[in-house]
Amino acid sequence: MRIVVSDCLRGIACRYDGGAKPSGAVLSLCAKVEALGVCPEREAGLPVPRPPAEQRDGGVWSADGTNLTSAFAAGAQTCLDKARDCGAPLAVLKEKSPSCGPTCVYDGSYTGRLVKGAGVFARLLQEEGICVVNEDVVKACKPSVEHPVAIILGTGLGHLASLVRPVRRIGYHDIEGFPAEARPMEGHSFEATIGSVDDVPVIVYPGRIHLYQGYSAAEVSALVRHAHRLGACDIVFACATGAIEGNAHTGLGIISDQINLTGRNPLAEWDEIRDVDSPFVDMTDAYSPYLRTLARGVADDAGIAVEEGVYAGVLGPCLETQAEAAMMRQMGVSYVGMSLACETIMARALGMNVLGLTLATNMAGDGATHDKVAEVAAEHADDFERLVRGVLRLL
C-alpha cells in the first residue's frame, strides 16, 4: 500500500522553525507501507527556517507581510502530482499547517488560534478523492495491550476466532448487559477470546444476538460496551448480508455508511445515556474513512475482490421482499442485514473507531438459507482472513 506523509511527521526538519514533528504512530505505519514524503512549502522553494505563514483573506501570508499564496499553490500542486503518480489512496498530514492541515489551521492572526478548515495541499488531495487524516487519527487507531482491537463476527465468519493466540476467555453470560437466557444460533459461539493475532492485541467475539430474536437494542450492543470497558478503541464488525442488485454483488464488501431501518436505537434504552453531556451522537463518518482506506489498500495489494457501499440494518427475521429490495436500491443501499446498525451507533457513542466488513452471500429479494450462507462464507473464508489480518498488521 502507498501513502503520502508530511515530511515533518517523518522526522525531517522542514518546518518554518527549522524543526520537525515526528510521530511514533506515523513512523510505525510508514515502516509497513510505501510512504511518499512531501513538504509543499519546501517544494515551493521556501527556506528553512522561515517566518511563519497562515491563511487569511483567501490567501497565505507570512508574519512579515509577504504574500505567499502563489508559492503555496505551486508547492501544493507539485506534491499533488507526486501523489497522483504514486497512486496513494491515503495521506497523513500535519495538522494546523497552512499547507497540510486536514481539519484545522491557524486563523491568520499569528496568535496560535485555530479555525476549522484545511490547508492548501490538504484541500487538493480531498478534491482528488484521497482520504486525508492527521497524525492524531493514526495514533488513536494504533492498538496496544491496553487498547486491543475488538472484532465481532457474524454468521459463517466465526472461524477467525481460531487464529487468536489466547490469553483469556470470557463467556458471554459473564458480560454485563448480555441476556442470561441467550443461546447461540448455528454458526455462532458465545465465548470471547482475549489474546493476539499476528502479535496484534485483540478481543474476538465469535457470535452475536439479534433484535429479531426478541432482544432489545441495548442487549444486542452489550458486546460493544464490554469491548470498550476492556480498553478497545478500534472495533471491527463483520456480518453476512444480502447484496442489492445494481449496487453490489455477492462477495466481500467494506461498509461506507449505514441506514438504520430497524426502528430501534440502543441509546434510547441505555441507562448511562442520562450521565453523558448530550445524547446526540454525531454519526458523520460512522465508519472510519481511515480504517476503510486501509482495508481497501490491503485488498488491492492482496488481489482480494472487494466492493464498498452503504449498509441498511433491518429488524428481520424475514428476508426482504423484491419490492423492499427495489426500494433500497433507490435509496443507494448496497447491503442489507439484521445486525450492525445498533452496534455501530453504540460504538460511535463511546468514541470508538469502526470498520464494517460484510460478506454478501446472496442477492436481496432472491431468498437465502442458512446452509447457503455457510457455503458462501466457506468459499470466501481465506480472503476474509487475509483482509482482516492485513488491516491488523497495518494498525
Side-chain angles (χ1 to χ4, degrees):
M1 182 177 179
R2 298 179 176 89
I3 68 171
V4 173
V5 185
S6 293
D7 266 341
C8 62
L9 294 177
R10 300 167 65 223
I12 297 174
C14 57
R15 285 168 47 84
Y16 77 92
D17 59 4
K21 286 285 185 177
S23 163
V26 174
L27 288 170
S28 176
L29 175 61
C30 288
K32 304 169 188 173
V33 299
E34 294 182 40
L36 170 67
V38 295
C39 178
E41 296 171 39
R42 191 172 55 192
E43 290 287 353
L46 299 176
V48 178
R50 54 188 176 274
E54 298 184 6
Q55 295 186 52
R56 61 179 173 85
D57 301 328
V60 182
W61 300 77
S62 69
D64 64 6
T66 303
N67 187 341
L68 298 175
T69 304
S70 296
F72 268 63
Q77 185 61 53
T78 298
C79 290
L80 176 62
D81 292 341
K82 291 183 177 182
R84 285 172 173 163
D85 289 342
C86 81
L90 172 69
V92 183
L93 303 184
K94 182 72 185 78
E95 194 64 282
K96 306 176 186 177
S97 161
S99 289
C100 296
T103 62
C104 66
V105 293
Y106 291 114
D107 68 355
S109 66
Y110 310 100
T111 61
R113 288 199 300 265
L114 295 169
V115 292
K116 289 184 179 180
V120 179
F121 178 46
R123 287 199 301 270
L124 291 181
L125 290 173
Q126 291 164 350
E127 292 167 2
E128 191 76 10
I130 294 173
C131 177
V132 183
V133 300
N134 62 28
E135 63 273 28
D136 291 336
V137 170
V138 179
K139 182 179 180 180
C141 291
K142 187 171 179 59
S144 64
V145 173
E146 293 80 14
H147 302 293
V149 178
I151 305 173
I152 298 181
L153 301 167
T155 302
L157 301 172
H159 70 278
L160 192 71
S162 65
L163 301 177
V164 181
R165 183 178 179 182
V167 172
R168 179 186 172 198
R169 301 186 191 276
I170 302 174
Y172 281 17
H173 295 103
D174 294 326
I175 293 175
E176 181 182 347
F178 192 85
E181 73 280 7
R183 295 295 179 267
M185 297 177 60
E186 186 178 352
H188 292 246
S189 173
F190 280 2
E191 185 178 66
T193 303
I194 299 174
S196 62
V197 173
D198 299 331
D199 296 324
V200 178
V202 297
I203 316 163
V204 177
Y205 301 87
R208 52 162 59 92
I209 55 175
H210 305 81
L211 294 170
Y212 64 75
Q213 295 172 276
Y215 300 112
S216 70
E219 288 173 324
V220 301
S221 57
L223 301 183
V224 179
R225 296 192 299 276
H226 181 256
H228 182 260
R229 285 195 295 271
L230 292 183
C233 296
D234 305 325
I235 189 162
V236 180
F237 294 123
C239 66
T241 56
I244 301 295
E245 185 176 359
N247 293 346
H249 301 86
T250 56
L252 292 175
I254 301 168
I255 297 172
S256 59
D257 208 340
Q258 73 174 33
I259 300 175
N260 182 10
L261 300 178
T262 68
R264 310 285 181 82
N265 190 309
L267 304 185
E269 305 172 5
W270 184 33
D271 290 341
E272 293 177 41
I273 198 69
R274 304 183 186 93
D275 301 325
V276 301
D277 293 335
S278 171
F280 304 109
V281 176
D282 184 3
M283 293 295 288
T284 304
D285 289 332
Y287 295 88
S288 164
Y290 173 64
L291 295 181
R292 282 162 36 206
T293 304
L294 291 185
R296 169 65 72 175
V298 168
D300 289 346
D301 288 351
I304 300 171
V306 65
E307 297 183 344
E308 188 166 350
V310 174
Y311 172 90
V314 296
L315 178 61
C318 57
L319 299 176
E320 309 74 37
T321 67
Q322 293 176 330
E324 289 167 342
M327 175 195 70
M328 291 183 200
R329 181 169 61 250
Q330 294 298 317
M331 295 170 65
V333 171
S334 296
Y335 306 105
V336 56
M338 303 171 194
S339 55
L340 254 69
C342 289
E343 294 170 318
T344 296
I345 290 170
M346 180 59 72
R348 293 303 302 139
L350 295 171
M352 302 175 80
N353 307 304
V354 178
L355 174 62
L357 302 176
T358 185
L359 173 58
T361 59
N362 62 284
M363 300 306 297
D366 286 350
T369 65
H370 190 276
D371 288 344
K372 181 63 176 178
V373 170
E375 178 186 337
V376 176
E379 293 172 358
H380 290 83
D382 181 62
D383 283 347
F384 176 70
E385 176 184 319
R386 289 193 295 145
L387 180 59
V388 174
R389 294 176 81 165
V391 172
L392 291 176
R393 283 193 290 268
L394 286 185
L395 291 177

